[in-house]
Amino acid sequence: SVIHDERAAAYYALGHGRVGQLACVLTTSGSAALNLLPAAAEADEDGVPLLFLTADRPPELRGVGADQALSSQYSMLAGLGPAACTFCRDLPPADDRIPGLNELAQISRGVHFALQKKAPVQLNLAFRENLAPRAGAVRGADAGPRAAKWSNPSGR
């Protein structure tokens, strides 16, 4: 199901988890992940397995004012008060030059942890490219020199 409100999606997934199905919630980057916290806390308290996949910006775009980037998004569900997710991993952006075996292993460990411990899990997935349409204008393409600095932090 596609649910456009993150908090509602998290509670929808919590309902699936309560009947024995491992459910997954995928959010965009930035503050969207914060909307998962209430359902994550309930899942943790009640022993309900959930998988939270939070999209994020790559490390070089964190902490520099880039849009949709929070400096510690990967641990938001673990570091705000009592830990709602005790298994949180920050996975690097995909790179065709490096096999993704470590990332696949982390995803497998996360799913295993959620099912075995009956607990919520957060996997933070970094993307270098914004999700853009296959045709037409790319969002932010005409944003000017400041956006160019973000897309090429080295300035080259």
Side-chain angles (χ1 to χ4, degrees):
S1 296
V2 175
I3 301 172
H4 295 279
D5 178 80
E6 295 89 357
R7 186 173 170 149
Y11 275 107
Y12 183 82
L14 181 63
H16 278 274
R18 289 189 193 283
V19 297
Q21 299 176 359
L22 177 62
C24 176
V25 179
L26 174 64
T27 68
T28 58
S29 60
S31 61
L34 289 172
N35 291 302
L36 305 175
L37 189 57
E42 286 191 35
D44 183 56
E45 187 67 28
D46 296 345
V48 177
L50 284 179
L51 184 60
F52 295 111
L53 301 178
T54 51
D56 202 353
R57 304 304 305 268
E60 65 270 14
L61 292 181
R62 298 178 194 167
V64 296
D67 64 330
Q68 292 293 105
L70 296 176
S71 59
S72 60
Q73 177 178 303
Y74 75 92
S75 62
M76 279 195 289
L77 299 180
L80 296 176
C85 291
T86 53
F87 186 101
C88 295
R89 297 296 184 270
D90 190 23
L91 301 179
D95 188 335
D96 291 339
R97 298 169 295 173
I98 303 169
L101 299 177
N102 180 55
E103 291 79 9
L104 292 173
Q106 291 295 335
I107 293 167
S108 179
R109 284 186 197 108
V111 170
H112 181 76
F113 187 94
L115 292 171
Q116 294 300 312
K117 302 289 185 183
K118 305 244 183 274
V121 165
Q122 180 190 12
L123 298 173
N124 195 55
L125 311 171
F127 293 93
R128 292 205 189 283
E129 299 291 328
N130 286 337
L131 299 179
R134 292 180 187 252
V138 175
R139 181 177 55 114
D142 60 349
R146 189 171 179 188
K149 178 182 168 191
W150 287 343
S151 63
N152 185 3
S154 68
R156 289 184 228 148

